[in-house]
Structures are given as C-alpha cells and as structure tokens.
C-alpha cells in the first residue's frame, strides 16, 4: 500500500514506473480523493477547535450570554459529527483505490511482461545428459510412488497422491529444507495456521486483487481463507506491531500446505505435480531495515540456491522483467530448475523484495533507539516447494535402467538412495 503523497510527488515518477508493469495510475482520481480527505480532516479539526473555544467561553459568559453559546456549541458538535463521517467515507474510498495499486517496480529491472523478458543472472550445475527423457508423471507411475487417478477420485483434477517411497521422499524434503534453514541459515521455524482472516490476506497483498485465486470458507458467519503460501501468516505475525530497529533482520521459516485455485491457468501444466490446487512448501520470510532490503534479498536468494546446490540440481537464476513481477513486489529473482522432459528451465523458487509495501498495508512499523520511526521492509522466497523439487529430482535423477538416483544429501533422511520400478 502506498502513501498517496509519495505517489503524487513528481520526484517519485509513479505513473511511469507503474506503466512499466501495465498499470495506469489515475492521477486525477488520486488527487481528488487525497485533497477531499485532507479538506474534510481540516474541517473536522477546525470544528473541534471551535468547540473547545466555546466550552472555555461559557465559563466567563454572563447568564444572558450562555444560552446562545450553548446553542452554538451544540451546532458545532453536530458539525464535528458530520465532518468525521465525511472523513471516514473519503478515507475509505481513498484506501480502496490505494489497495488496487501495485508496488512500484525497481528501475534496475528489465522491460517486458513475460518470462521471455527475464534477464539471466547466472547458471549452476551441469545439465544432465538424459537420452529419451521421461516426465515425472511417467516416472512416478512406473516407480509406483505417484497416483493421480486416485487423487482425482478423492478431490478432482489438480490434486496428487504420493505413496510408499514417494511419500517418504516428500517428508524427507521438508525436513531437509527446514534443517538447513534453521541450523545453517539462521531462520526461526514457526508452526502457523493455514486458515487466516481477510485483513491478514490484505496485509500481504493477496486481497482484494486476487480473491478469485483463493479458497475461501465461511463457518458460522466467520470468514477465513486458506493460505496460498506461508508468506501470509509469517509476515503478518507482526501486523500492527512496532519492532525495535536494532533487532532487525528477523528471519522466519515454516512448512505448510498451500492452496491455490489457479483461476487464470487452465490449460497450463495440467499434468502432474507442477501446478496443483494443494501442495506443500517451505517458505522463507525476512523482515528488515528498508535501507538494506536489496542486500537482504541477495542473502535470501543465496539460502534458496544453497539448497539447490546441495541437492545437485542444475538451475539458473533470472531477474524478472518489470511487468512480470508479483503485485506486491518491487524486485524479484526466479530460480529455475532444468527439466529434461521439457528441455527447458522452469520456476522452482521466486524470491522478492517488497520494500515497505506490505509493511504499510499490515502496519509493521519500526522504532530506532533515537526515536526515529518508519516502516519495515519485507522479503520472501520459496526455500523450496516440495512438489516441484520432487519433480526435478525424478527427472534429473532418472537412469537408463529405469531407476532414479536420490541426491546424496537426502539419503540420511530417506534411508534409501535409489527409487526402483
């Protein structure tokens, strides 16, 4: 969420920046709402000042003067009530528009609006030479670890059932991710709810824009949403709080199920584990000093990359184009893993710097020892999604004899180093 004064400041160049991501800023509307709200606040303040003056003048007034002063005070109190109602209405209208405006993309991002416009930062690992590669669905079914038919029977399309060593591998991956992030990378693990309120979803930017992408439930007139990522509850742990600036950065992680309706993705990745309605993921969230947010993003990306490297998975890191970053982001890296069956790299982790955008929406403030106050910056990234990592392990680890080799780092967690048909 933005400060309207910043958006209207010519130095911010907000209209140009937002145009890079395909959003047209209605400057006239913003000016009208902001000016109207400010005028209503001034009117309410002036009426309060007049009411205070009249209250004081009653004490020194004569008996003949008092009735008129008291009547004037009643009229002024009525004006205060009207002015306060006007402030509320205009404030609500202004905030409703501000909630629709995405974050300003960083100038360093390349132009463009698709993954084809992303800028390559680096590659890691040797692309495995796989003759006649099979995709993860065929591999999973031959190995006896994946059952999409029964998943569809249970829940419909875009769900998956893993069994036997497949379920064990899924469990091993989540434990491996959490151990590395907590023991080596300094993250505090949390166990958080997967059902959250509308204000919680609004705080990180999922609402109001992406309501169609969310699963919503209402029981006994209580509205709750299933989280699309642990970013939502982890970031909002500090909603409406003031954090000591010297205690930053805060580094949090959680393993949760995630739920997405994939409303705009019909026809894309309908086969297998890449795009499901329910999947599990280990998320990384950092709450930091805004002056250090970009440096902290490099730290976070490094933690996700360390997992990829320890698993021995070939990948590349790209910087997303200004028109392809998420609604709340101002700067995003994607880690893309090589999938032999597709002969290309596919996103496995998205790591973003949100600046103070989410903190303003959620009310996450900071206070320094010298009394200086402000908003925190927030960052998040996948560290990693369990399903897509499993896909990459199956495809990059497939052998000519039909077996799949398990990364050495996972063997202490799985108890086996090979999946066999």
């Amino acid at each position: 969420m933005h400060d309207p004064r910043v958006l209207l400041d010519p130095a911010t160049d907000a209209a140009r920046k937002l145009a890079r991501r395909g959003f047209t800023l209605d400057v006239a509307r913003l000016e009208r709402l902001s000016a109207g709200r400010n005028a209503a606040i001034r009117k309410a303040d002036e009426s309060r000042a007049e009411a205070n003056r009249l209250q004081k003048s009653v004490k020194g007034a004569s008996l003949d003067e008092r009735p008129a002063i008291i009547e004037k005070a009643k009229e002024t109190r009525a004006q205060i009530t009207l002015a306060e109602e006007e402030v509320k209405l205009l404030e609500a209208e202004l905030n409703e528009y501000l909630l629709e405006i995405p974050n300003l993309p960083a100038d360093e991002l390349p132009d463009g609006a698709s993954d084809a416009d992303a800028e390559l930062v680096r590659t890691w690992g040797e692309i495995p030479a796989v003759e006649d590669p099979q995709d993860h669905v065929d591999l999973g079914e031959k190995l006896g670890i994946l059952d999409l038919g029964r998943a569809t029977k249970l829940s419909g399309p875009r769900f998956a059932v893993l069994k036997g060593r497949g379920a064990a591998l899924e469990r091993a991956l989540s434990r491996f991710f959490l151990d590395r992030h907590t023991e080596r990378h300094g993250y505090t693990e949390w166990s958080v709810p997967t059902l959250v309120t509308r204000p919680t979803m609004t705080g990180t930017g999922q609402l109001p824009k992406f309501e169609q992408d969310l699963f919503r439930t209402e029981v006994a007139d209580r509205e709750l949403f299933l989280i699309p990522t642990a970013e939502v509850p982890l970031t909002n742990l500090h909603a409406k709080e003031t954090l000591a600036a010297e205690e930053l950065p805060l580094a949090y992680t959680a393993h949760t199920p995630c739920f997405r309706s994939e409303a705009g993705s019909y026809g894309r990745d309908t086969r297998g584990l890449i795009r499901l309605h329910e999947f599990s993921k280990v998320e990384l969230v950092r709450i930091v000093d805004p002056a250090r947010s970009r440096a902290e993003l490099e730290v976070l990306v490094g933690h996700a990359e360390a997992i990829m490297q320890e698993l021995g998975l070939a990948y590349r890191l790209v910087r997303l184009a200004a028109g392809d970053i998420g609604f709340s982001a101002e700067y995003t890296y994607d880690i893309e893993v090589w999938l032999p069956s597709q002969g290309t790299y596919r996103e496995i982790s998205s790591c973003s710097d949100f600046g103070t955008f989410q903190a303003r929406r959620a009310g996450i403030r900071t206070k320094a020892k010298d009394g200086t106050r402000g908003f925190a910056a927030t960052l998040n990234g996948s560290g990693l999604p369990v399903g897509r990592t499993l896909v990459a392990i199956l495809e990059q680890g497939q052998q000519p004899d039909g077996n799949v080799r398990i990364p050495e780092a996972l063997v202490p967690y799985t108890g086996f180093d090979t999946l066999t048909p």
Side-chain angles (χ1 to χ4, degrees):
M1 189 168 176
H2 298 282
D3 182 338
R5 295 169 299 181
V6 174
L7 289 178
L8 293 171
D9 185 345
T12 304
D13 204 8
R16 177 190 65 82
K17 292 182 178 180
L18 288 168
R20 294 185 71 212
R21 61 183 304 158
F23 184 89
T24 301
L25 181 65
D26 190 338
V27 176
R29 180 184 179 189
L30 188 59
E31 286 177 336
R32 174 179 59 81
L33 291 173
S34 184
R37 187 270 311 265
N38 293 340
I41 290 173
R42 285 194 298 272
K43 183 194 284 187
D45 289 343
E46 289 168 0
S47 295
R48 290 191 200 94
E50 175 67 7
N52 290 336
R53 187 190 67 77
L54 289 169
Q55 186 175 11
K56 291 176 182 177
S57 68
V58 168
K59 297 178 181 178
S62 66
L63 291 175
D64 292 338
E65 294 171 329
R66 284 186 178 182
I69 296 173
I70 291 171
E71 184 61 30
K72 179 65 174 175
K74 288 181 180 179
E75 294 175 4
T76 303
R77 284 195 294 272
Q79 291 172 359
I80 292 172
T81 300
L82 290 174
E84 287 177 341
E85 286 300 317
E86 186 179 9
V87 169
K88 286 180 182 178
L89 289 172
L90 289 169
E91 185 100 300
E93 189 177 355
L94 175 60
N95 285 340
E96 184 179 358
Y97 182 51
L98 289 173
L99 287 173
E100 297 174 2
I101 302 173
N103 204 350
L104 306 181
D107 288 334
E108 310 95 278
L109 296 179
D111 290 330
S114 74
D115 53 7
D117 302 307
E119 183 178 281
L120 178 64
V121 178
R122 57 180 168 265
T123 59
W124 186 93
E126 198 172 313
I127 292 176
V130 181
E131 188 176 342
D132 192 23
Q134 300 180 66
D135 74 3
H136 70 281
V137 176
D138 289 338
L139 287 166
E141 290 176 344
K142 289 176 181 177
L143 292 166
I145 64 171
L146 178 63
D147 193 331
L148 296 177
R150 285 193 171 94
T152 301
K153 178 174 66 175
L154 293 173
S155 306
R158 294 207 171 180
F159 288 88
V161 166
L162 290 166
K163 61 179 179 178
R165 288 192 166 187
L169 182 55
E170 181 181 50
R171 173 163 44 88
L173 282 167
S174 61
R175 289 175 55 212
F176 171 70
F177 296 160
L178 288 170
D179 284 352
R180 291 300 184 266
H181 293 313
T182 57
E183 295 170 8
R184 294 186 184 178
H185 302 152
Y187 289 80
T188 300
E189 182 182 357
W190 291 77
S191 176
V192 291
T194 53
L195 285 164
V196 297
T197 64
R198 179 172 288 271
T200 300
M201 282 289 193
T202 303
T204 40
Q206 279 73 27
L207 290 176
K209 183 175 176 58
F210 300 108
E211 186 155 357
Q212 66 170 350
D213 294 323
L214 303 172
F215 285 103
R216 175 182 171 277
T217 181
E218 188 169 337
V219 179
D221 296 325
R222 185 180 181 192
E223 179 189 58
L224 292 169
F225 293 86
L226 287 161
I227 62 169
T229 164
E231 165 203 347
V232 177
L234 285 176
T235 303
N236 280 282
L237 286 169
H238 295 293
K240 296 181 172 56
E241 293 182 14
T242 298
L243 307 174
E246 62 273 13
E247 293 179 2
L248 301 179
L250 302 177
Y252 296 159
T253 187
H255 171 238
T256 65
C258 304
F259 304 88
R260 298 181 185 178
S261 74
E262 301 289 355
S265 65
Y266 291 104
R268 295 174 57 201
D269 297 316
T270 56
R271 177 176 164 85
L273 304 177
I274 292 178
R275 197 178 296 275
L276 298 174
H277 289 313
E278 179 181 356
F279 58 97
S280 69
K281 183 155 64 92
V282 170
E283 193 75 358
L284 306 176
V285 165
R286 297 180 75 84
I287 301 175
V288 307
D289 179 343
R292 283 195 45 78
S293 67
R294 199 71 84 245
E296 290 284 352
L297 178 62
E298 299 295 332
V299 171
L300 187 149
V301 169
H303 293 154
E305 284 189 89
I307 299 292
M308 296 291 291
Q309 292 174 13
E310 194 167 356
L311 292 174
L313 296 173
Y315 71 89
R316 70 181 181 185
L317 182 71
V318 298
R319 183 181 294 108
L320 293 193
D324 197 32
I325 60 175
F327 177 84
S328 298
E330 65 179 34
Y331 196 105
T332 298
Y333 287 117
D334 269 4
I335 298 173
E336 299 178 340
V337 68
W338 177 260
L339 294 186
S341 69
Q342 299 183 16
T344 190
Y345 291 96
R346 296 297 305 273
E347 181 220 323
I348 193 169
S349 173
S350 192
C351 302
S352 296
D353 176 3
F354 304 110
T356 59
F357 185 83
Q358 289 182 332
R360 285 183 175 278
R361 293 170 75 104
I364 306 171
R365 292 175 168 80
T366 62
K367 181 180 179 181
K369 287 182 178 179
D370 64 2
T372 304
R373 294 176 179 270
F375 287 95
T378 60
L379 305 92
N380 94 282
S382 301
L384 298 164
V386 175
R388 292 195 181 194
T389 306
L390 194 150
V391 167
I393 288 172
L394 291 178
E395 294 209 6
Q396 290 197 28
Q398 60 185 298
Q399 304 298 305
D401 60 5
N403 293 340
V404 170
R405 186 183 65 252
I406 301 300
E408 186 178 340
L410 288 178
V411 174
Y413 293 85
T414 61
F416 53 85
D417 60 7
T418 305
L419 293 171
T420 303

